[in-house]
């Protein structure tokens, strides 16, 4: 096995757009579940709305790329309100059922011929990158006309690839800072009180429903921004936004710590580095005869291992790597 190539391919995931996008979505899920106690299993729907809102704004209406980001965020706000009004007054498990179903409805709606003019149905959308790339502050060509590259080793990128990563990291830094600031504020303390015992908070005269709705909207906006970053380097394809995406985000959140500020970021890095490593080493082991399966089967084995890891995390360390066990007493 070529360990140099395996490690080189694995290192790529440290700063990949997927890692940044999932960290943003997991940060939104931390607001929902870690701080507000909302069981949201529909984060894939928020990401899809962010990505499609961005792409449709550019391709169909010809709006600037930054307006497309705003549209994607507004779509997530509307989605959160539609989900929250009938469910936030009920038990958490009702919200879980509704959100996972609503995310699937969004995905299936995007694949229908009814909206084909806007969504291109199952084929998805592409070629919407010109405006974003035109705003790239990094030079594409050197003085001699050669293509500029940035970084070193496995972290070598073109100007456009670097711009996607820098922009995504800026959005992620803003999201992390907002979560840190909000959870240190009186609003955040009320939200954590609702997570622990909403009846006690309600007895103090607080509008629990309003606080839950605000948390659902804020976390949904972060999820939409994750969808935008996910769509920046490639295309928007509805098959991407399945329930497995939501479960990956949950794995990331629980891995890093549900009620922590930096846990989703660290969890996303660890998750994608492990996924990248397994995606390279397992097929290599199969090709070397060390595994009794084909390379394709070995590549799929990593998803089984991730599922087992998620179960072990929930059983033995539900607070995550950096979490405080006292922060998750509401799960019991």
């Amino acid at each position: 096995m070529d360990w140099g190539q395996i490690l080189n391919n694995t290192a790529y995931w440290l700063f990949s757009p997927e890692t940044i996008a999932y960290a943003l979505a997991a940060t939104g899920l931390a607001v929902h579940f870690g701080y507000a106690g909302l069981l949201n299993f529909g984060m894939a729907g928020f990401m899809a709305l962010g990505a499609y809102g961005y792409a449709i704004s550019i391709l169909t209406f010809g709006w600037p790329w930054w307006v497309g980001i705003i549209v994607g965020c507004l779509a997530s706000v509307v989605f959160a309100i539609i989900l929250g009004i009938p469910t936030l007054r009920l038990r958490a498990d009702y919200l879980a059922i509704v959100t996972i179903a609503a995310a699937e409805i969004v995905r299936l709606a995007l694949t229908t011929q009814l909206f084909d003019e806007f969504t291109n149905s199952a084929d998805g959308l592409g070629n919407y990158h010109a405006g974003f790339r035109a705003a790239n502050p990094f030079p594409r060509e050197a003085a001699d006309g050669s293509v500029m590259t940035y970084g070193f080793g496995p972290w070598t990128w073109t100007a456009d690839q670097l711009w996607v990563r820098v922009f995504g990291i800026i959005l992620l830094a803003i999201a992390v800072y907002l979560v840190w600031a909000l959870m240190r504020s009186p609003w955040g303390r009320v939200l954590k009180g609702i997570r622990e015992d909403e009846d006690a908070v309600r007895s103090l005269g607080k509008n629990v429903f309003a606080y839950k709705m605000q948390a659902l909207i804020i976390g949904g906006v972060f999820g939409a921004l994750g969808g935008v970053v996910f769509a920046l380097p490639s295309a928007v394809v509805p098959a991407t936004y399945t329930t497995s995406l939501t479960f990956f985000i949950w794995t990331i959140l629980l891995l890093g710590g549900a009620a922590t500020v930096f846990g989703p970021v660290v969890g996303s890095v660890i998750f994608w580095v492990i996924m990248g490593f397994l995606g390279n080493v397992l097929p290599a082991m199969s090709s070397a005869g060390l595994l009794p399966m084909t390379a394709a089967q070995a590549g799929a084995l990593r998803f089984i291992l991730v599922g087992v890891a998620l179960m072990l995390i929930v059983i033995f360390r539900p607070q995550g790597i950096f979490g405080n066990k006292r922060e998750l007493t509401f799960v019991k």
Side-chain angles (χ1 to χ4, degrees):
M1 294 190 296
D2 187 352
W3 283 103
Q5 186 63 37
I6 290 173
L7 295 177
N8 190 71
N9 293 338
T10 300
Y12 159 85
W13 294 98
L14 282 171
F15 301 105
S16 71
E18 293 86 354
T19 301
I20 299 168
Y22 276 68
L24 266 167
T27 300
L29 190 59
V31 175
H32 289 165
F33 177 70
Y35 292 107
L38 303 177
L39 284 173
N40 173 22
F41 283 92
M43 189 54 78
F46 286 101
M47 292 185 71
L49 289 171
Y52 270 92
Y54 173 76
I56 291 173
S57 297
I58 296 171
L59 294 175
T60 303
F61 301 103
W63 294 338
W65 64 274
W66 55 270
V67 174
I69 295 177
I70 295 174
V71 171
C73 292
L74 291 177
S76 73
V77 171
V78 173
F79 186 52
I81 293 173
I82 293 173
L83 287 179
I85 288 176
T87 59
L88 290 181
R89 298 184 188 278
L90 303 174
R91 296 199 310 268
D93 49 350
Y94 284 98
L95 180 63
I97 295 169
V98 170
T99 52
I100 195 171
E104 276 297 286
I105 291 171
V106 169
R107 184 183 66 84
L108 293 173
L110 295 171
T111 64
T112 63
Q113 293 294 321
L114 180 63
F115 306 111
D116 187 63
E117 178 184 357
F118 304 101
T119 65
N120 199 26
S121 62
D123 294 328
L125 299 171
N127 300 318
Y128 48 79
H129 308 291
F132 177 76
R133 291 175 180 174
N136 189 348
F138 303 103
R140 292 185 176 85
E141 295 183 356
D144 59 359
S146 61
V147 177
M148 290 280 290
T149 58
Y150 299 85
F152 60 92
W155 306 294
T156 302
W157 309 297
T158 64
D160 289 333
Q161 292 171 336
L162 178 63
W163 175 223
V164 170
R165 286 161 172 81
V166 170
F167 184 75
I169 290 173
I170 290 172
L171 290 181
L172 179 59
I174 293 172
V176 169
Y177 171 75
L178 287 176
V179 171
W180 175 81
L182 286 172
M183 296 313 155
R184 288 169 58 91
S185 69
W187 182 86
R189 288 192 287 271
V190 172
L191 196 67
K192 287 185 279 189
I194 292 172
R195 178 194 68 190
E196 299 294 340
D197 190 341
E198 66 177 71
D199 291 330
V201 174
R202 190 177 290 110
S203 69
L204 298 174
K206 301 295 184 180
N207 189 334
V208 171
F209 175 81
Y211 277 90
K212 284 184 175 182
M213 180 64 77
Q214 293 162 18
L216 189 62
I217 290 172
I218 293 171
V221 168
F222 292 156
L225 290 175
V228 171
V229 173
F230 195 73
L232 285 179
S234 54
V236 180
V237 181
T240 304
Y241 304 98
T242 59
T243 52
S244 61
L245 186 151
T246 296
F247 295 145
F248 285 170
I249 297 171
W250 271 96
T251 303
I252 289 168
L253 178 68
L254 296 177
L255 179 62
T260 61
V261 175
F262 293 101
V265 178
V266 177
S268 184
V269 171
I270 294 174
F271 175 83
W272 280 110
V273 166
I274 292 175
M275 286 287 283
F277 176 75
L278 294 177
N280 283 274
V281 74
L282 292 177
M285 292 176 65
S286 174
S287 300
L290 299 177
L291 289 177
M293 59 185 69
T294 65
Q297 291 171 334
L301 179 61
R302 62 177 177 162
F303 297 104
I304 298 175
L305 296 177
V306 168
V308 173
L310 177 59
M311 291 188 291
L312 293 176
I313 290 170
V314 172
I315 294 171
F316 295 106
R317 194 168 179 83
Q319 72 272 28
I321 295 175
F322 298 103
N324 186 336
K325 196 167 186 178
R326 289 176 297 177
E327 290 280 356
L328 287 183
T329 54
F330 68 98
V331 176
K332 297 180 180 179

